[in-house]
Amino acid sequence: MRRILLLSFTALSVAGIAPALAQSAPPATQPSAAVAETVVTATRIPTPIERVPGSVTVIDRQTIEERGYQTLAEALVSVPGLSLIQSGGPGQPASAFIRGTASRHALVLLDGVPVNDASEPNGAFNFGNDLLGLEVERIEVLRGPASSLYGSGAIGGVVNIVTRRAPADRPIEAFGELAGGSNRTLRGGGGVAGTVGQFDYLFSLRSLSTRGTDATPGRFAANTGERDGFRGLTGTARLGWTPDARLRVEGLANWRDNYGGLDNVPADDPNYSFNDRRFTGQLRAEARPIEAWTTGFRIARTEDRRRYTNLPDSLSRSSTDDLYRGERTVYDWGNQLRLPDAGPFDASQLAFGLTHEREEVRQASGGSGFRTTTNADASSTAVHAGYQVRLLRRLDLTAGFRNDDAEDYGSHATYRLGAVLALPEISARLRTAYGTAFKAPSLYQRYGVISGFFQGNPSLRPETSEGWEAGVEFDIPLAGQRDLVTLGATYFANRIRDLINFDAAFTSLENIDRARIKGGEFTATLRPARWLTATAAYTVTDARDARTGERLARRPEQQLVLNAALRLGDRVTVAPELVLYGRSREGAFASYRDDGSANTTARDNKAGTVLNLTATWQATEPVALFAEGRNLTNSRFEPANGFVIAGRTVVAGTRFRF
């Protein structure tokens, strides 16, 4: 693994920097078009992406449509440093491992509000449930420790789903989509948005139904070919009032209701099903008392309800009826203060605020012979501050600090430091960052009970980490073009302590594990012509148990994602995507032989390849026709042992905006 990392960094550095030095540099005041986007997630302050010290990927609306992403899980596969492991197709459980950290170490936000399910036993987010309707404007993914910004859970990184705003220049805009295809797949959605005087609005609805494919591998002797269907409905409403340029008040509501079938590895299970509902609402007011100071207050509420049922059938006489209810209420006061320039320092900004959060869990589940319950709630209050400044118009410095004070696990402080050095003489940017992070023990881990068997541990401490990264990104000007090629390389390392796991008797939980992770992310964007853009994201990850040296489960050692956008004329775009997964480790008793029996020792999951292709024809200015093909080779790759990815599907439809 170390040899792969060294060879990759050396090859990329020699190949990229040498041509860049050989060419005449573009003027320092003329930034590359490849780094013009502004992001908020990385610093809580709107910042041009080339001045952000952390690693950030933005998946915008155009990319979502060009590549045919219909779910959050499909879109995140393309992010370097992120491994998305899903147990089948839409609606099936999916975990994101950001830079080798655990799935519970990925914090998910909806317009800045945490939406990780409080009732999930580990506090992890299920990435398999969210549809990417037309109301989603972009997805921002920040990799690396970010608890100094967002508190508990942001050890691996943060995924922020940003919804679209109403157009400011028209009273009404209608948009929609209708598509159908193989596996009896039908999806549709639509909405209206606009601005009338001081008021703006957006209403949208999105649905997806499919017969699905069989998530149980055909290699299992007990496989019956039973499909895992899915149907989901998502709605969004936003209302805003802007009486003048210094004040805005808005409300946002998002609702999701999903139904689907599940399998019970290592066998099909025709009666195992789920219903997953989530409601998120927030009311936010933002004011600018003076030109340099912006202050805002937000109240947000998230409610999750999940139910899993499994009735007796010919394959099994056991039954299950599990109900999970989780609630989170957030009060957040945030400020941005623009400070005056001083000599060599400019673009100086201070962000500070106060956040209060309360979680509640009411959970009851069980099967034959046992019952699990959790009835608990807890609150925490945090103060946070961040500062960023630019020196000599080329060195950006950032610092952040946060202290979380919880009523049940005490006080915990985190911080983050970062720097970005612009080298316009060679069209390069150097980045480095160091930070600490933590994941609070979930309410189940502290207070859950399994009758006669398990008792949660109220004395659990937070899982903690410290990590750093260093990277370079540079443009190669060739053939009269400033950024014919953009190359990037980032090395990252992370140490995690006090990981929560079962005690020796499996009767409770303790802070007993440690992990060490290192790796590299390598990106390349090629723009040889106006009609072609090609990208590559290659990730090498070495994630290990620090006590035993064993590889951590379900983290592919290598992953390569290739994307391209071929614009044929003014109206046709063809976007192929190829995802190559390296081998990954699977724990003992979590992998299965072909006869369905469990392996008693850890095994490797084999490498796999997935090919997707989307073509779009902009028939008229407001109407587009498209065709999407997923897993066109019908790969039976098992990202998690005992679960195959969704089989081949082809969907065609139309998308419009008037």
Side-chain angles (χ1 to χ4, degrees):
M1 178 62 65
R2 181 178 301 174
R3 180 176 298 176
I4 292 175
L5 283 171
L6 289 175
L7 287 175
S8 299
F9 272 104
T10 303
L12 183 56
S13 300
V14 172
I17 294 179
L21 290 172
Q23 299 291 324
S24 58
T29 58
Q30 189 177 18
S32 167
V35 291
E37 188 148 17
T38 297
V39 296
V40 179
T41 308
T43 60
R44 282 185 178 260
I45 300 172
T47 305
I49 196 169
E50 75 272 15
R51 293 175 52 198
V52 173
S55 297
V56 180
T57 297
V58 178
I59 307 170
D60 59 19
R61 183 74 242 170
Q62 179 180 344
T63 301
I64 292 171
E65 293 180 356
E66 282 187 348
R67 298 180 183 174
Y69 297 145
Q70 64 178 347
T71 67
L72 179 61
E74 289 178 353
L76 292 181
V77 167
S78 64
V79 176
L82 189 153
S83 299
L84 199 291
I85 307 300
Q86 186 165 15
S87 304
Q92 301 300 308
S95 300
F97 300 93
I98 304 179
R99 288 184 169 174
T101 60
S103 59
R104 64 182 180 271
H105 297 154
L107 180 64
V108 180
L109 313 174
L110 178 63
D111 281 331
V113 174
V115 290
N116 287 52
D117 185 354
S119 69
E120 206 283 331
N122 293 310
F125 184 84
N126 181 1
F127 288 85
N129 266 318
D130 282 70
L131 306 178
L132 293 181
L134 294 171
E135 79 283 353
V136 176
E137 183 64 28
R138 68 184 186 276
I139 305 165
E140 296 181 1
V141 183
L142 169 65
R143 303 185 295 284
S147 287
S148 64
L149 293 168
Y150 299 104
S152 173
I155 287 180
V158 176
V159 177
N160 189 14
I161 305 167
V162 181
T163 57
R164 66 183 293 182
R165 302 284 175 166
D169 58 347
R170 64 187 71 180
I172 184 169
E173 176 185 78
F175 53 89
E177 179 183 272
L178 182 63
S182 55
N183 302 321
R184 298 179 187 170
T185 299
L186 179 65
R187 79 171 192 251
V192 292
T195 300
V196 180
Q198 298 176 350
F199 298 92
D200 58 86
Y201 64 93
L202 180 145
F203 300 98
S204 72
L205 199 64
R206 165 86 162 183
S207 68
L208 170 66
S209 66
T210 179
R211 186 174 58 160
T213 58
D214 186 10
T216 302
R219 64 183 177 86
F220 285 168
N223 177 267
T224 65
E226 183 259 342
R227 294 170 179 260
D228 301 301
F230 171 82
R231 66 182 189 275
L233 185 66
T234 299
T236 300
R238 183 196 295 275
L239 296 173
W241 176 48
T242 310
D244 58 54
R246 292 183 178 271
L247 175 64
R248 176 169 173 79
V249 179
E250 71 173 24
L252 174 70
N254 179 268
W255 172 73
R256 181 194 69 198
D257 195 359
N258 292 342
Y259 294 84
L262 297 169
D263 279 336
N264 193 5
V265 171
D268 287 332
D269 198 326
N271 294 325
Y272 194 10
S273 62
F274 74 91
N275 172 220
D276 190 313
R277 298 177 183 174
R278 184 187 72 205
F279 168 79
T280 300
Q282 59 173 288
L283 181 63
R284 185 171 184 267
E286 185 176 275
R288 197 164 69 246
I290 59 176
E291 191 63 31
W293 176 31
T294 301
T295 184
F297 182 75
R298 170 163 46 197
I299 303 175
R301 173 82 169 177
T302 300
E303 299 179 359
D304 287 278
R305 179 190 181 277
R306 294 180 292 123
R307 188 168 191 172
Y308 302 89
T309 57
N310 191 6
L311 301 176
D313 54 51
S314 60
L315 301 177
S316 173
R317 304 309 302 168
S318 62
S319 63
T320 300
D321 190 355
D322 302 340
L323 180 62
Y324 297 81
R325 290 181 178 270
E327 300 176 356
R328 177 183 290 106
T329 305
V330 178
Y331 303 89
D332 184 64
W333 175 55
N335 301 268
Q336 298 173 22
L337 184 62
R338 189 173 67 251
L339 304 178
D341 297 343
F345 297 95
D346 73 309
S348 178
Q349 295 193 70
L350 176 66
F352 60 94
L354 179 69
T355 302
H356 179 77
E357 184 174 312
R358 184 168 186 81
E359 290 185 346
E360 303 174 40
V361 173
R362 302 291 180 262
Q363 174 259 326
S365 60
S368 303
F370 72 93
R371 183 170 179 80
T372 302
T373 58
T374 309
N375 293 283
D377 52 69
S379 298
S380 64
T381 302
V383 293
H384 53 85
Y387 177 69
Q388 62 186 51
V389 65
R390 185 168 56 179
L391 176 62
L392 299 174
R393 302 189 65 81
R394 68 165 64 211
L395 177 61
D396 284 277
L397 303 173
T398 65
F401 173 81
R402 176 171 171 137
N403 187 76
D404 288 80
D405 189 11
E407 64 180 5
D408 51 355
Y409 61 81
S411 180
H412 199 84
T414 54
Y415 66 91
R416 182 179 173 92
L417 303 171
V420 181
L421 176 62
L423 300 173
E425 296 80 8
I426 57 172
S427 303
R429 295 164 295 281
L430 305 178
R431 296 181 293 100
T432 187
Y434 176 87
T436 60
F438 79 103
K439 170 66 173 71
S442 71
L443 289 175
Y444 169 80
Q445 291 171 334
R446 283 173 273 175
Y447 307 112
V449 176
I450 304 178
S451 55
F453 171 64
F454 173 87
Q455 175 69 54
N457 182 359
S459 299
L460 286 171
R461 303 183 303 276
E463 300 173 328
T464 62
S465 77
E466 54 179 336
W468 67 276
E469 65 180 87
V472 58
E473 184 179 58
F474 43 84
D475 300 321
I476 301 178
L478 291 173
Q481 188 173 331
R482 293 176 307 159
D483 55 356
L484 178 73
V485 181
T486 299
L487 299 178
T490 301
Y491 177 86
F492 60 85
N494 202 343
R495 290 186 176 273
I496 308 175
R497 298 180 175 86
D498 291 329
L499 285 167
I500 297 171
N501 208 338
F502 286 100
D503 60 15
F506 289 91
T507 58
S508 190
L509 297 166
E510 296 180 352
N511 296 96
I512 56 176
D513 284 343
R514 294 177 288 117
R516 53 180 176 83
I517 305 167
K518 59 184 177 180
E521 300 164 359
F522 308 91
T523 59
T525 302
L526 179 65
R527 311 174 187 89
R530 293 174 58 88
W531 54 269
L532 174 61
T533 301
T535 63
Y538 174 58
T539 304
V540 182
T541 306
D542 185 11
R544 296 182 180 272
D545 184 314
R547 295 189 307 164
T548 65
E550 292 292 327
R551 302 190 338 258
L552 299 180
R554 298 189 179 179
R555 281 78 158 175
E557 291 183 310
Q558 302 177 57
Q559 183 170 308
L560 174 63
V561 183
L562 303 174
N563 279 288
L566 294 83
R567 296 174 176 85
L568 309 178
D570 296 331
R571 296 182 178 273
V572 177
T573 301
V574 178
E577 178 178 70
L578 183 66
V579 186
L580 297 95
Y581 299 85
R583 67 170 187 169
S584 63
R585 198 65 163 168
E586 194 69 78
F589 297 100
S591 63
Y592 300 88
R593 304 182 181 93
D594 293 351
D595 62 3
S597 61
N599 289 303
T600 57
T601 58
R603 299 293 180 93
D604 280 346
N605 295 321
K606 297 179 181 179
T609 303
V610 180
L611 174 64
N612 305 316
L613 179 67
T614 300
T616 306
W617 174 42
Q618 196 70 41
T620 65
E621 182 63 28
V623 178
L625 304 177
F626 60 85
E628 303 166 0
R630 318 298 298 179
N631 188 17
L632 289 177
T633 62
N634 205 32
S635 168
R636 306 305 290 167
F637 169 56
E638 298 177 33
N641 188 282
F643 296 95
V644 297
I645 63 172
R648 178 172 48 235
T649 59
V650 178
V651 172
T654 181
R655 184 183 301 117
F656 64 86
R657 182 175 299 177
F658 295 101

